[in-house]
Amino acid sequence: MTSDNNYQLLERELAVDDPWRLDSNSFEQERYAQMLRLSCCNGDIVHALEVGCAAGAFTEMLAPHCQRVTVVDVMPQAIERARQRTRSWSNIAWVTCDIQRFSSAEQFDLIVVAEVLYYLKDISEMHAAILNLVGMLAPNGALVFGSARDAPCRRWGHAAGAETVISLLNESLSEIERLHCHTESVNEDCLLVLFRKPTNSSEHSNYGH
C-alpha cells in the first residue's frame, strides 16, 4: 500500500464519529488500560511523546500522569479532534508531522507508539521511523509499542505489523514485558510491548536475556 493510499485511508477513517471504535469497544478499552499501565512503569513522567493520537482517547488518559506531553500526528484532522477532546489539559503540545521527519532537541522519558507504524509504506520506512524514535528516547526511558499482528496487517494491505516491528525495536532496546490482547475476532489481535533504552550498549546485550 502506498503512502498516498494510507493517507486517504486515514482521512476516511477519521471522518466518522468514533474512529476505530476506540470509545465503544471493550477490547480497545482494555488495550488502552494496559498501555497506560505500561506507560507508568517508571512512575512520574516528565515529558512523554505520543506518536499518532487517533481521536485523543489515549492522550486524555495519559496527560494526567505527565508533566508534559508532545503529540505528533501526520493528520491535521486527528490533531484537531484530539485537541478538542483534551482541551481541559494545558500540558499538551501538538505537532502535525510525519514521524520519520519529526525531531526534538529534548529527549523523552516515555514514547508511546501504537497502531501507527504499519501505515508506513514498507519495512525500510518503519526501520527509519524506529531509529528516529530511539534517538529521542532518554537513557533508561520507556517505549510502549502496540500494533495489530503481522497477519491481520498484511491482510489489510500493509507491509508488516507487530512481530516485524518488535524485532526491529529489539535491535536497539531491551524488551521488558509483552502482552497479547485478542478476542475471537480476527481483527482484534494485537501485541503490546514495553521496552527500555539501556544506559549503555553492553547493558543491551545482557538485559532481560
Side-chain angles (χ1 to χ4, degrees):
M1 188 178 288
T2 67
S3 297
D4 286 344
N5 287 342
N6 277 328
Y7 195 90
Q8 291 167 6
L9 173 64
L10 284 165
E11 281 189 323
R12 291 196 301 271
E13 291 172 337
L14 283 163
V16 302
D17 286 340
D18 184 8
W20 311 285
R21 299 172 62 222
L22 300 181
D23 288 318
S24 58
N25 187 324
S26 60
F27 168 77
E28 298 294 350
Q29 292 300 305
E30 174 61 19
R31 185 170 67 88
Y32 275 169
Q34 293 295 345
M35 283 171 52
L36 185 64
R37 180 183 67 81
L38 295 175
S39 296
C40 295
C41 66
N42 283 347
D44 294 337
I45 302 161
V46 176
H47 194 182
L49 172 66
E50 183 186 12
V51 181
C53 58
F58 187 71
T59 315
E60 187 176 41
M61 295 172 67
L62 181 63
H65 301 275
C66 306
Q67 292 183 27
R68 289 177 291 146
V69 182
T70 295
V71 178
V72 178
D73 199 295
V74 71
M75 302 297 293
Q77 304 97 310
I79 292 283
E80 184 55 32
R81 290 183 68 156
R83 188 199 301 269
Q84 289 300 317
R85 180 171 183 146
T86 60
R87 57 186 178 273
S88 62
W89 292 96
S90 60
N91 60 336
I92 307 173
W94 305 93
V95 181
T96 304
C97 187
D98 186 321
I99 190 53
Q100 294 167 271
R101 296 169 180 81
F102 174 74
S103 63
S104 170
E106 182 179 2
Q107 290 189 312
F108 301 94
D109 53 330
L110 170 68
I111 295 177
V112 180
V113 53
E115 307 298 334
V116 171
L117 295 181
Y118 56 70
Y119 283 106
L120 297 177
K121 181 176 65 176
D122 53 33
I123 294 172
S124 66
E125 286 198 357
M126 295 176 187
H127 198 199
I130 287 166
L131 292 175
N132 189 32
L133 290 172
V134 169
M136 292 185 286
L137 186 62
N140 205 42
L143 186 147
V144 175
F145 168 74
S147 173
R149 301 180 71 175
D150 277 346
C153 284
R154 288 174 176 142
R155 190 170 61 248
W156 300 334
H158 301 300
E163 293 93 335
T164 297
V165 174
I166 289 168
S167 67
L168 295 173
L169 285 162
N170 268 312
E171 293 176 3
S172 304
L173 304 176
S174 298
E175 182 175 330
I176 305 301
E177 183 177 351
R178 184 185 300 204
L179 298 172
H180 182 198
C181 301
H182 61 98
T183 68
E184 293 181 359
S185 169
V186 295
N187 291 324
E188 294 180 337
D189 187 5
C190 77
L191 296 175
L192 300 178
V193 184
L194 168 65
F195 293 92
R196 184 162 289 130
K197 186 173 184 177
T199 54
N200 56 62
S201 58
S202 62
E203 182 183 344
H204 178 246
S205 64
N206 297 310
Y207 199 99
H209 298 288

